Every structure is written in C-alpha cells, then in structure tokens.
Amino acid sequence: MKPMPLARVVSSCFAFAWLSIASPAFADDVSFGASQLCGLQSARPDRNAAVQVKTVQGRNGPIGYARFGQGTPLLLITGYRATLGEWNAYFLGALAKHHEVIVFDNRGVGRSTPMAGHYGPGYGIRDMAADAADVIAGLKLARVDVVGWSMGGMIAQQLALDAREKVESLTLIATAPPGPEAVPLTPEVQQVLSSSGADAFPKIMAVLFPADAVADASKCFVGDMFAPRGYKGRPVPDAVADQQNRAMSQWFADSAAADRLRRSPVRTLIIAGANDDVLADANARHLEQMIPRATLDVVADAGHALMFQYPIELAGHIQAFVRYIR
C-alpha cells in the first residue's frame, strides 16, 4: 500500500482509511519543494546543553550515542565514513518533536571504539547490525522504529532480519538492497567519498547533492551538522573506512540476505532521491520489489543527502509513516 506524498495528503483517519483500501503498490513521485539547506530557524537539539554523547557497552566495546526528544523511540543508523554528527541537526530536531531520537556511532567511528582484532574479514554489515541491536538492548528499549541512511540503510535491513522482535518499522533512505540485483557505487564516486584533504569537500558536495543545490550545500552543510557539546567524531580512521568498503562489497554479493528480505514482515518506507549520484534510485525500486510490505517514494530534485536538502519535509514524511503504521 502506498501513502500518498506528504504534500498531497493530510494525516487524517479518513486519508489513512482510504490508503488501506488503495490499489496495489507503486512508486510515488514526491516533491518537497524548495531545498531547505540554508536559513532554517527551527529547533535543533544540539543547542540544548543537556544533549550529550554518552556510551553504552556493546559486545564489541563502547558505543557512542545521543538520546533526546519525547515519544516512541526512533533509532537512526548513519552511513559510510559518517559519525553521529553527520546527521542534520534540524532534521533531528523535527523528529524529536514526536519521538525519542537515538543516534549512535557505527563501529570504529567517533566514540564507538572496537576491541582489538575487529577490523578483520569478519567485520561486515551483520556485525554492525549486531552493534545496533546492542544499543537497543543497552538502552533497555523494547521495540524501535528504525531509520537507516545509505550504508546505514543496509545495516537497518540486516537488523530487521536478525532482531525482528526489536524492529517496529523500517525507513530506508538512499540505500541499496543486498545481493546481485543492487547497483553498487561506481569506482569514481567511491573514490570521491573516500577522499580527504583541502580539495575533497567540494567534490563530496557535488556527489551528495543535485547541481542546483551544491552552492547552498557548500555554504551551510557543516554548520547544519549535529554538534552536541564536547563531541568530536572526526577523523574516521582509514582502517574503518576500508572495512566499511569491504562490508558494502560483501552486502552487494549477499544473496542469502536478499532471500530472507523477500520474506520480511516489517513495514518499510523506502525514500530515494531522483538525482542520487551515489546509490541510484534503481536500488530503491529493487528494494520495493523485494520487501513484501514496502512503500517507495522517489523525491524529485533530491540527491543522496536528503536529510540535509529537505530536513523538515523529510522528517515530516517519516513521522507520517510511523504514525500511520502504529
């Protein structure tokens, strides 16, 4: 079943009742309007001194996390070479109006320090999903709605397979399915995302955003990042970036996970950017076909970093989905 785009639907009982008897699933084209990269005046949780990064003990060592907001718990899983500080602060603030938001550092990143010996071949998407499960268990959460972005969307899918009893719903943003049907990153894009140095930032902005949004992204991206007091997550070690690359390569060959996903009962919202140069929206269409209870929305004029390009609209879209399934 397909909820209609947020811009065309009021979140009323009548609308959702209509959706429950609507025709079979198909991809909706969604427009979020003008980019919201600069000039937002809404709340951001990192301006509250009480919002701090703490650690919870996982099987692989300490896991850095931040927790804020009120409502049902929403666990966010971030992507390649990203710390918990790579989330857009206004996006998090909008989500926190209706949810207790939990963001955390993936293994080896920020304040999630792995124990010795965990950079080897066994460190993959499934291991990072186990870390996410440890966050849920360590914070004594019964069930959570899960949002995964990019590589974090891969981790979220694996989490739903391995800890089904903990996952209420999935929202997968700009990500890819497991197995050979996926369209991996091109070597050129991978090289850009792995780059560092003075000239890396403009190249990364150019692959994360559509051409008409790059100028604003370059101006406002860093200032809009989630920056809780006392937290420094950079730089991400090269060994971690290399291992994450290997983990994604393994994911794109994981036919067993693809077969399991075809039997997943978890309600899933898939959100893709129509202009995503990192993970093509063909991945989202494969995911929609793969997951039995999936809804796909393709956002016009959106690149890979949707939560920076449309933080308020994207948060509202996710909130409408989570509220609907509950």
Side-chain angles (χ1 to χ4, degrees):
M1 293 179 295
K2 297 287 178 202
M4 295 185 64
L6 194 64
R8 291 185 278 128
V9 143
V10 293
S11 56
S12 65
C13 294
F14 175 81
F16 287 139
W18 182 88
L19 287 168
S20 69
I21 59 172
S23 57
F26 62 94
D28 275 336
D29 293 323
V30 176
S31 175
F32 284 161
S35 292
Q36 302 162 351
L37 277 155
C38 295
L40 289 178
Q41 301 297 321
S42 59
R44 46 186 296 169
D46 52 355
R47 288 183 176 151
N48 181 350
V51 175
Q52 297 184 0
V53 177
K54 302 177 181 178
T55 60
V56 63
Q57 187 63 33
R59 72 198 75 184
N60 186 55
I63 301 173
Y65 75 95
R67 185 179 189 179
F68 47 86
Q70 293 184 335
T72 56
L74 190 69
L75 181 77
L76 277 67
I77 310 177
T78 194
Y80 173 68
R81 288 188 72 190
T83 70
L84 61 80
E86 254 74 14
W87 291 108
N88 179 282
Y90 299 105
F91 172 67
L92 298 181
L95 290 174
K97 292 178 181 178
H98 304 282
H99 298 282
E100 181 184 32
V101 174
I102 301 103
V103 294
F104 69 98
D105 285 326
N106 288 321
R107 183 177 301 200
V109 173
R111 293 197 185 164
S112 295
T113 306
M115 295 183 292
H118 283 265
Y119 289 119
Y123 172 16
I125 297 295
R126 193 165 198 173
D127 299 280
M128 289 186 277
D131 295 338
D134 286 346
V135 173
I136 297 170
L139 298 182
K140 296 179 171 39
L141 302 171
R143 288 172 67 81
V144 296
D145 295 288
V146 177
V147 177
W149 171 65
S150 194
M151 185 188 76
M154 304 172 198
I155 298 168
Q157 292 169 62
Q158 189 68 58
L159 176 66
L161 294 176
D162 293 345
R164 167 67 188 95
E165 73 285 357
K166 296 292 186 182
V167 178
E168 185 73 35
S169 73
L170 282 179
T171 298
L172 305 175
I173 305 171
T175 191
E181 292 184 6
V183 182
L185 292 73
T186 66
E188 294 77 14
V189 168
Q190 186 64 63
Q191 184 176 12
V192 169
L193 294 178
S194 301
S195 62
S196 58
D199 62 342
F201 182 73
K203 294 178 182 178
I204 292 172
M205 293 296 99
V207 299
L208 290 183
F209 295 95
D212 60 354
V214 169
D216 279 347
S218 300
K219 181 170 59 174
C220 298
F221 183 86
V222 173
D224 288 352
M225 288 168 57
F226 179 57
R229 184 173 298 185
Y231 176 77
K232 296 185 184 302
R234 289 288 190 178
V236 174
D238 289 342
V240 172
D242 291 344
Q243 189 59 62
Q244 289 183 353
N245 276 322
R246 286 192 288 272
M248 287 190 288
S249 295
Q250 294 164 4
W251 179 253
F252 294 133
D254 194 343
S255 296
D259 290 341
R260 292 178 66 198
L261 205 59
R262 291 186 178 95
R263 301 188 298 275
S264 172
V266 179
R267 291 297 303 271
T268 303
L269 172 63
I270 304 162
I271 304 174
N275 305 99
D276 191 337
D277 290 334
V278 177
L279 289 169
D281 65 352
N283 284 301
R285 300 181 194 281
H286 288 314
L287 269 171
E288 183 197 24
Q289 295 302 313
M290 197 175 283
I291 301 174
R293 304 179 73 193
T295 295
L296 169 61
D297 288 325
V298 179
V299 182
D301 194 32
H304 191 65
L306 286 90
M307 67 282 194
F308 276 87
Q309 197 176 351
Y310 302 106
I312 307 303
E313 291 289 347
L314 181 61
H317 206 62
I318 294 169
Q319 164 60 15
F321 167 71
V322 172
R323 184 173 59 241
Y324 166 50
I325 64 169
R326 287 181 179 272

